[in-house]
Amino acid sequence: MPPASTPSIRLNDLAHPVVAGLISVIVNYGGTFILVFQAAKVAGLSPELTASWVWSVSIGVGLTGLFLSWRYREPIITAWSTPAAAFLVTALATTPYAEAVGAYMISAAAFVALGLSGWFDKVIRLIPPGIASGLLAGILLQFGIGAFGGASVDPLLVGLLILAYLALKRWSPRYAVVGILVLGLVFLLAQGRVDLSGLRLQFAAPVFTMPEFSLNALLSVALPLFLITLTGQYMPGMLVLRNDGFRTSASPIVTVTGFGSLLMAPFGSHAFNLAAITAAIATGKEAHEDPARRWIAGIAAGIAYILVGVFGVTLAAVFMAFPATFITTLAGLALLGTIGGSLAGALTEPASREAALITFLASAANIQLLGIGGAFWGLLIGLVAHLILNGRLPRRMRAETLTGQGAGK
């Protein structure tokens, strides 16, 4: 099918969305990818199998995000399931690796079925806009706090980035995020805090593992993996897109990422899906003032993921070598606009303001119960509050949302 129509792209349209896409990749590898290595160590995987895991999840994320962003002309950022990787750090200790691979495939097949059914779209349509905005603001709040929290550990770096961000916002707001990325990298290199001297780029080689299927792995790995990824990644990821005005149906996104996960599972990929937090870096005004040009960020992120995947562990290790304070400050500052917009959206309607505020606070609390993350519980508490305070959920979306959904199918 041909891609959706889009305005012509000029050279000066590229810098901001490309940098936004690259920042989302840096934050993903630098912030959470260590969980993959921890899970691989727990499972006792060889260096070859670990490199294959990096290859499969990076290539899969890159190809699906690139395709979806190009096809729908929206910044559809995909990523590996971070809460699922955290879950696997403990699950792989008692599950044979071949059975875990089989569980990955069952979970991925369930997402393909979910996407084809169209059921997920119906659920998303029931969530009131104020609740969605409150959920997103709550999820992102910790990243906003992280932008300043690192000052107690690395005051010079964090102070420099914050001051540079404010100065650029005052005199050249379009280049604020680009500027702090470049300035931060130059500062770290000048201090010798990012050592690239030992970097040796080596091509990653995928290793096929024959999957095995068992009832134990189905119940202890596949089912939790499906629920964790659905509630912790897809749900907030779709709300990120909706919050910034993008209306592509959830069905093709879930289907494509589920099918990609199914293909890559025998090579080690546990799950990849629609991104949530790192997607917000690419969907807001910081990526481009014109929403019709933000899809370029999805293309840039996809290409970057593929490059990392081609070189496997060696290139991923570069991003992981960045100081944690740099990653958290960069992410937090890049998300300030989205956090502010989400809070404004949550508190706009007086009738739903209190329920949206409850959603925000419950999501920010990051409740962990029954192996399910804070996004799900924040949303559930917010919906219950909305029902009690307002009596019902909306029966249908606004007319413009319905129109956008129809166009995306």
Side-chain angles (χ1 to χ4, degrees):
M1 290 182 289
S5 60
T6 187
S8 59
I9 302 298
R10 301 183 301 272
L11 189 60
N12 60 0
D13 289 322
L14 297 177
H16 297 87
V18 166
V19 169
L22 292 178
I23 289 176
S24 73
V25 172
I26 291 172
V27 170
N28 246 350
Y29 281 109
T32 63
F33 203 68
I34 187 64
L35 292 170
V36 170
F37 290 106
Q38 289 176 343
K41 183 177 180 180
V42 166
L45 300 187
S46 66
E48 292 77 16
L49 285 175
T50 301
S52 182
W53 189 345
V54 176
W55 176 89
S56 60
V57 76
S58 301
I59 295 293
V61 164
L63 290 176
T64 53
L66 194 157
F67 169 75
L68 288 167
S69 297
W70 175 83
R71 169 64 184 86
Y72 296 102
R73 291 299 193 263
E74 293 186 0
I76 302 175
I77 307 295
T78 53
W80 51 85
S81 177
T82 297
F87 159 71
L88 290 173
V89 171
T90 56
L92 290 182
T94 57
T95 305
Y97 183 62
E99 291 186 15
V101 169
Y104 300 165
M105 296 183 70
I106 292 173
S107 176
F111 277 114
V112 174
L114 177 65
L116 293 175
S117 72
W119 174 82
F120 194 50
D121 271 321
K122 297 175 183 178
V123 173
I124 293 294
R125 284 199 280 265
L126 292 175
I127 300 175
I131 299 297
S133 296
L135 175 70
L136 180 58
I139 292 171
L140 299 180
L141 178 63
Q142 296 303 321
F143 286 81
I145 293 173
F148 304 91
S152 59
V153 178
D154 198 340
L156 185 59
L157 173 62
V158 174
L160 176 66
L161 292 176
I162 293 173
L163 288 175
Y165 177 82
L166 294 174
L168 288 167
K169 269 291 186 180
R170 172 65 177 83
W171 288 288
S172 185
R174 287 194 64 191
Y175 295 94
V177 176
V178 177
I180 61 172
L181 172 62
V182 174
L183 179 64
L185 290 175
V186 170
F187 179 80
L188 292 174
L189 289 170
Q191 285 199 322
R193 296 173 62 181
V194 179
D195 184 11
L196 303 179
S197 60
L199 178 64
R200 299 291 183 270
L201 293 180
Q202 297 178 344
F203 291 109
V207 179
F208 181 85
T209 297
M210 181 62 69
E212 297 179 6
F213 302 94
S214 69
L215 180 61
N216 176 64
L218 171 64
L219 297 178
S220 63
V221 178
L223 182 59
L225 188 65
F226 177 81
L227 293 176
I228 290 169
T229 303
L230 178 64
T231 58
Q233 293 281 174
Y234 280 110
M235 182 71 74
M238 286 306 304
L239 295 180
V240 166
L241 287 173
R242 297 290 181 266
N243 187 70
D244 284 311
F246 299 104
R247 302 301 177 195
T248 296
S249 167
S251 294
I253 297 174
V254 176
T255 303
V256 169
T257 51
F259 185 68
S261 294
L262 183 62
L263 291 178
M264 288 297 188
F267 300 100
S269 174
H270 62 290
F272 47 88
N273 41 252
L274 184 63
I277 295 164
T278 52
I281 297 173
T283 58
K285 291 182 179 180
E286 300 291 349
H288 201 287
E289 294 177 357
D290 183 0
R293 290 175 168 81
R294 294 175 197 165
W295 65 276
I296 300 169
I299 301 296
I303 293 172
Y305 279 125
I306 292 170
L307 287 175
V308 174
V310 167
F311 293 105
V313 175
T314 54
L315 200 52
V318 173
F319 295 114
M320 294 175 62
F322 291 140
T325 49
F326 175 64
I327 298 294
T328 55
T329 304
L330 180 65
L333 294 176
L335 289 168
L336 281 183
T338 300
I339 296 171
S342 300
L343 280 173
L347 303 178
T348 296
E349 294 293 332
S352 62
R353 183 173 297 162
E354 192 162 0
L357 180 60
I358 290 172
T359 307
F360 164 69
L361 294 173
S363 303
N366 195 26
I367 300 167
Q368 303 289 323
L369 286 175
L370 304 176
I372 301 176
F376 171 79
W377 296 114
L379 177 61
L380 180 62
I381 292 170
L383 290 175
V384 170
H386 189 279
L387 280 169
I388 294 174
L389 294 172
N390 297 283
R392 62 181 177 85
L393 292 177
R395 293 181 179 271
R396 64 184 68 183
M397 292 189 309
R398 294 171 293 181
E400 64 267 22
T401 302
L402 284 170
T403 302
Q405 289 281 2
K409 292 183 180 178

